[in-house]
Amino acid sequence: MIVDTQFQVYTSYKMKLAVYLEILDLMHACGTRECLKTISKNYPEHSYNTLVSIFCQDYQKKTRKSHYKHHKPEVMEEYYQRYLKGVSQSYKEPVLLRIAEEVDLSHSLLARIVLERHLAHTKYEGNSPPKSVVTHLMKDTSLIEDSVLSFEVQQCILNDANYGPLVDNIKHSVGAEYEFILQEKLHNRGLAFLGEDDMRSRGYDKTPDIKLEVPIAVDGYVVNWVESKASFGDEYSHSTYLKDQFWSYQNRFGPGMVIYWFGYIDELDVHRNRGILLKDHFPDDIVTLHDTFSKHA
């Protein structure tokens, strides 16, 4: 059950850029999630979930930057041969987990590379298998015919807290949960709205999570739509969202509001006058059309 928190006093999750960079430096010095509890004690004004979101986003940026290095054909084949040698020597722990740590690569990503090479050697006469086939097997490792490799891939997915299909599923679930929370808040405030499915049924392609039937005002700015992001708004993700989503929403539906539930870098909130407002929660002090009429009654 969702409790109506419209009168709750919120803790702000906004973060100054200088503080964000300090936290990133501490994360880079440690390199693992183990440091997050210590960092949380040094920055008690920011939630643990905010720090987890920052860590995961930074890890994924690092993974994208090093992608080319690990996906050179000769490197992929080297990883596969190391795996074959490892399983032939009967190590007690999963071989792929150890190799991933040694080469500083996501467990899930290494598992995918080795699975690709295994399929290339056993099913596709040395050619790369279709990506859709590999993705399907990564999502259901029981379908991998080689039982040893099936177990190894499964262990990589289960032990990867930052990347891979399990993380994708968790992110999707958390995103859906916060969209539901947003909808509950709108219902509790008596605000009529259309969801994504409603809008797509009307022929719209790119749609925000919420299109308000009647605009509201937040901090003196008109809001026609609301986008829910169950993540921290850093420079990279926000600039990507602006280009791929937010400006399209603003052009089609007018000004709107983005909620980064785990906070955002304060200095990114610079587009209010152009129709994009940032928040870290659904605000208490909204102004509705009913409020406006009441004042002038």
Short mmCIF file of all heavy atoms in Angstrom, two decimals, residues 217-247:
data_model
loop_
_atom_site.label_atom_id
_atom_site.label_comp_id
_atom_site.label_asym_id
_atom_site.label_seq_id
_atom_site.Cartn_x
_atom_site.Cartn_y
_atom_site.Cartn_z
N ALA A 217 1.11 24.34 -11.70
CA ALA A 217 2.27 25.22 -11.60
C ALA A 217 3.16 24.75 -10.46
O ALA A 217 2.66 24.39 -9.38
CB ALA A 217 1.83 26.66 -11.36
N VAL A 218 4.45 24.71 -10.70
CA VAL A 218 5.45 24.33 -9.70
C VAL A 218 6.53 25.40 -9.68
O VAL A 218 7.12 25.70 -10.72
CB VAL A 218 6.07 22.95 -10.02
CG1 VAL A 218 7.17 22.62 -9.01
CG2 VAL A 218 5.01 21.86 -10.03
N ASP A 219 6.76 25.98 -8.52
CA ASP A 219 7.77 27.05 -8.38
C ASP A 219 7.52 28.20 -9.37
O ASP A 219 8.46 28.84 -9.84
CB ASP A 219 9.19 26.51 -8.57
CG ASP A 219 9.57 25.48 -7.53
OD1 ASP A 219 8.87 25.38 -6.50
OD2 ASP A 219 10.57 24.76 -7.74
N GLY A 220 6.27 28.41 -9.71
CA GLY A 220 5.93 29.48 -10.64
C GLY A 220 6.05 29.11 -12.10
O GLY A 220 5.85 29.97 -12.97
N TYR A 221 6.32 27.84 -12.40
CA TYR A 221 6.46 27.37 -13.79
C TYR A 221 5.33 26.42 -14.13
O TYR A 221 4.95 25.57 -13.32
CB TYR A 221 7.81 26.66 -13.99
CG TYR A 221 9.01 27.56 -13.83
CD1 TYR A 221 9.60 27.73 -12.58
CD2 TYR A 221 9.54 28.24 -14.93
CE1 TYR A 221 10.71 28.56 -12.43
CE2 TYR A 221 10.64 29.07 -14.78
CZ TYR A 221 11.21 29.23 -13.53
OH TYR A 221 12.29 30.06 -13.39
N VAL A 222 4.81 26.55 -15.35
CA VAL A 222 3.74 25.67 -15.81
C VAL A 222 4.30 24.28 -16.08
O VAL A 222 5.38 24.12 -16.66
CB VAL A 222 3.08 26.24 -17.09
CG1 VAL A 222 2.07 25.26 -17.65
CG2 VAL A 222 2.41 27.58 -16.79
N VAL A 223 3.54 23.25 -15.66
CA VAL A 223 3.93 21.85 -15.88
C VAL A 223 2.78 21.13 -16.56
O VAL A 223 1.68 21.02 -16.01
CB VAL A 223 4.28 21.16 -14.54
CG1 VAL A 223 4.45 19.65 -14.75
CG2 VAL A 223 5.55 21.76 -13.95
N ASN A 224 3.03 20.63 -17.78
CA ASN A 224 2.04 19.87 -18.54
C ASN A 224 2.28 18.37 -18.47
O ASN A 224 1.36 17.59 -18.71
CB ASN A 224 2.07 20.29 -20.01
CG ASN A 224 1.57 21.71 -20.23
OD1 ASN A 224 0.39 21.98 -20.06
ND2 ASN A 224 2.47 22.60 -20.61
N TRP A 225 3.51 17.97 -18.21
CA TRP A 225 3.85 16.56 -18.19
C TRP A 225 4.89 16.29 -17.11
O TRP A 225 5.58 17.21 -16.64
CB TRP A 225 4.40 16.10 -19.56
CG TRP A 225 5.53 16.94 -20.11
CD1 TRP A 225 5.42 18.02 -20.93
CD2 TRP A 225 6.94 16.79 -19.84
NE1 TRP A 225 6.65 18.54 -21.22
CE2 TRP A 225 7.61 17.81 -20.55
CE3 TRP A 225 7.69 15.91 -19.07
CZ2 TRP A 225 9.00 17.95 -20.51
CZ3 TRP A 225 9.07 16.06 -19.02
CH2 TRP A 225 9.71 17.06 -19.75
N VAL A 226 5.00 15.04 -16.71
CA VAL A 226 5.96 14.64 -15.68
C VAL A 226 6.67 13.37 -16.14
O VAL A 226 6.02 12.41 -16.57
CB VAL A 226 5.28 14.37 -14.32
CG1 VAL A 226 6.33 14.08 -13.25
CG2 VAL A 226 4.40 15.55 -13.90
N GLU A 227 7.98 13.38 -16.05
CA GLU A 227 8.79 12.19 -16.35
C GLU A 227 9.43 11.69 -15.06
O GLU A 227 10.03 12.45 -14.31
CB GLU A 227 9.87 12.53 -17.38
CG GLU A 227 10.77 11.36 -17.76
CD GLU A 227 10.09 10.33 -18.65
OE1 GLU A 227 8.95 10.55 -19.07
OE2 GLU A 227 10.72 9.29 -18.92
N SER A 228 9.29 10.39 -14.80
CA SER A 228 9.82 9.77 -13.59
C SER A 228 11.11 9.03 -13.91
O SER A 228 11.13 8.16 -14.79
CB SER A 228 8.79 8.79 -13.02
OG SER A 228 9.33 8.03 -11.96
N LYS A 229 12.19 9.36 -13.19
CA LYS A 229 13.47 8.68 -13.37
C LYS A 229 13.94 8.14 -12.03
O LYS A 229 14.29 8.90 -11.13
CB LYS A 229 14.53 9.64 -13.93
CG LYS A 229 14.25 10.13 -15.34
CD LYS A 229 14.27 9.02 -16.35
CE LYS A 229 14.06 9.52 -17.77
NZ LYS A 229 13.87 8.40 -18.73
N ALA A 230 13.93 6.82 -11.89
CA ALA A 230 14.37 6.19 -10.64
C ALA A 230 15.89 6.03 -10.66
O ALA A 230 16.44 4.93 -10.66
CB ALA A 230 13.70 4.84 -10.46
N SER A 231 16.56 7.18 -10.69
CA SER A 231 18.03 7.20 -10.78
C SER A 231 18.53 8.56 -10.32
O SER A 231 17.73 9.46 -10.04
CB SER A 231 18.48 6.92 -12.22
OG SER A 231 17.99 7.92 -13.10
N PHE A 232 19.85 8.70 -10.28
CA PHE A 232 20.47 9.99 -9.99
C PHE A 232 20.73 10.71 -11.31
O PHE A 232 21.16 10.09 -12.29
CB PHE A 232 21.79 9.79 -9.24
CG PHE A 232 22.48 11.07 -8.88
CD1 PHE A 232 22.13 11.78 -7.75
CD2 PHE A 232 23.50 11.57 -9.69
CE1 PHE A 232 22.76 12.96 -7.42
CE2 PHE A 232 24.14 12.75 -9.37
CZ PHE A 232 23.77 13.46 -8.23
N GLY A 233 20.47 12.00 -11.35
CA GLY A 233 20.69 12.76 -12.57
C GLY A 233 22.10 13.34 -12.62
O GLY A 233 22.36 14.40 -12.07
N ASP A 234 23.01 12.61 -13.29
CA ASP A 234 24.37 13.13 -13.47
C ASP A 234 24.46 13.82 -14.83
O ASP A 234 23.50 13.85 -15.60
CB ASP A 234 25.42 12.03 -13.32
CG ASP A 234 25.32 10.95 -14.39
OD1 ASP A 234 24.50 11.10 -15.32
OD2 ASP A 234 26.06 9.96 -14.30
N GLU A 235 25.62 14.37 -15.13
CA GLU A 235 25.77 15.16 -16.35
C GLU A 235 25.54 14.31 -17.60
O GLU A 235 24.85 14.73 -18.53
CB GLU A 235 27.16 15.79 -16.39
CG GLU A 235 27.37 16.86 -15.32
CD GLU A 235 28.81 17.36 -15.28
OE1 GLU A 235 29.68 16.59 -14.82
OE2 GLU A 235 29.04 18.50 -15.71
N TYR A 236 26.11 13.11 -17.63
CA TYR A 236 26.00 12.27 -18.81
C TYR A 236 24.56 11.81 -19.05
O TYR A 236 24.03 11.95 -20.16
CB TYR A 236 26.91 11.04 -18.68
CG TYR A 236 26.82 10.09 -19.85
CD1 TYR A 236 27.56 10.31 -21.00
CD2 TYR A 236 25.96 8.99 -19.81
CE1 TYR A 236 27.47 9.45 -22.09
CE2 TYR A 236 25.86 8.12 -20.89
CZ TYR A 236 26.61 8.35 -22.03
OH TYR A 236 26.50 7.50 -23.10
N SER A 237 23.94 11.27 -18.01
CA SER A 237 22.58 10.75 -18.19
C SER A 237 21.60 11.87 -18.51
O SER A 237 20.74 11.71 -19.39
CB SER A 237 22.12 9.98 -16.95
OG SER A 237 22.07 10.82 -15.82
N HIS A 238 21.75 13.01 -17.84
CA HIS A 238 20.81 14.11 -18.07
C HIS A 238 20.94 14.66 -19.49
O HIS A 238 19.93 14.93 -20.15
CB HIS A 238 21.03 15.22 -17.04
CG HIS A 238 20.02 16.33 -17.14
ND1 HIS A 238 18.67 16.12 -16.95
CD2 HIS A 238 20.16 17.65 -17.41
CE1 HIS A 238 18.03 17.26 -17.10
NE2 HIS A 238 18.90 18.20 -17.39
N SER A 239 22.16 14.83 -19.96
CA SER A 239 22.35 15.34 -21.32
C SER A 239 21.80 14.36 -22.35
O SER A 239 21.23 14.76 -23.37
CB SER A 239 23.82 15.63 -21.60
OG SER A 239 24.60 14.44 -21.55
N THR A 240 21.94 13.06 -22.08
CA THR A 240 21.38 12.03 -22.97
C THR A 240 19.87 12.08 -22.97
O THR A 240 19.23 12.03 -24.04
CB THR A 240 21.86 10.63 -22.55
OG1 THR A 240 23.29 10.59 -22.57
CG2 THR A 240 21.31 9.57 -23.50
N TYR A 241 19.28 12.18 -21.79
CA TYR A 241 17.81 12.27 -21.69
C TYR A 241 17.28 13.54 -22.36
O TYR A 241 16.22 13.51 -23.00
CB TYR A 241 17.37 12.24 -20.24
CG TYR A 241 17.49 10.90 -19.56
CD1 TYR A 241 17.95 10.80 -18.24
CD2 TYR A 241 17.12 9.73 -20.20
CE1 TYR A 241 18.06 9.58 -17.60
CE2 TYR A 241 17.23 8.49 -19.57
CZ TYR A 241 17.69 8.43 -18.27
OH TYR A 241 17.79 7.21 -17.63
N LEU A 242 17.99 14.65 -22.19
CA LEU A 242 17.57 15.89 -22.84
C LEU A 242 17.47 15.69 -24.35
O LEU A 242 16.47 16.05 -24.98
CB LEU A 242 18.55 17.02 -22.53
CG LEU A 242 18.42 17.73 -21.18
CD1 LEU A 242 19.61 18.65 -20.96
CD2 LEU A 242 17.12 18.54 -21.10
N LYS A 243 18.50 15.11 -24.91
CA LYS A 243 18.56 14.92 -26.37
C LYS A 243 17.54 13.90 -26.85
O LYS A 243 16.86 14.12 -27.87
CB LYS A 243 19.98 14.48 -26.76
CG LYS A 243 20.17 14.28 -28.26
CD LYS A 243 21.59 13.84 -28.57
CE LYS A 243 21.89 12.46 -28.01
NZ LYS A 243 23.22 11.94 -28.41
N ASP A 244 17.42 12.78 -26.14
CA ASP A 244 16.59 11.67 -26.62
C ASP A 244 15.12 11.76 -26.21
O ASP A 244 14.26 11.17 -26.87
CB ASP A 244 17.16 10.34 -26.11
CG ASP A 244 18.53 10.03 -26.69
OD1 ASP A 244 18.89 10.65 -27.71
OD2 ASP A 244 19.23 9.17 -26.11
N GLN A 245 14.84 12.49 -25.11
CA GLN A 245 13.47 12.49 -24.59
C GLN A 245 12.93 13.88 -24.26
O GLN A 245 11.92 14.31 -24.84
CB GLN A 245 13.41 11.63 -23.31
CG GLN A 245 13.72 10.16 -23.53
CD GLN A 245 13.64 9.36 -22.23
OE1 GLN A 245 13.78 9.90 -21.14
NE2 GLN A 245 13.42 8.07 -22.35
N PHE A 246 13.58 14.58 -23.33
CA PHE A 246 12.96 15.75 -22.71
C PHE A 246 12.65 16.87 -23.70
O PHE A 246 11.56 17.46 -23.64
CB PHE A 246 13.84 16.30 -21.59
CG PHE A 246 14.16 15.31 -20.49
CD1 PHE A 246 15.26 15.50 -19.66
CD2 PHE A 246 13.37 14.19 -20.29
CE1 PHE A 246 15.55 14.60 -18.65
CE2 PHE A 246 13.65 13.27 -19.29
CZ PHE A 246 14.76 13.48 -18.47
N TRP A 247 13.59 17.18 -24.61
CA TRP A 247 13.30 18.25 -25.56
C TRP A 247 12.16 17.86 -26.49
O TRP A 247 11.35 18.73 -26.89
CB TRP A 247 14.55 18.61 -26.37
CG TRP A 247 15.61 19.33 -25.61
CD1 TRP A 247 16.93 19.00 -25.53
CD2 TRP A 247 15.46 20.52 -24.81
NE1 TRP A 247 17.62 19.89 -24.72
CE2 TRP A 247 16.73 20.83 -24.27
CE3 TRP A 247 14.38 21.33 -24.47
CZ2 TRP A 247 16.94 21.92 -23.43
CZ3 TRP A 247 14.58 22.42 -23.63
CH2 TRP A 247 15.85 22.70 -23.13
#
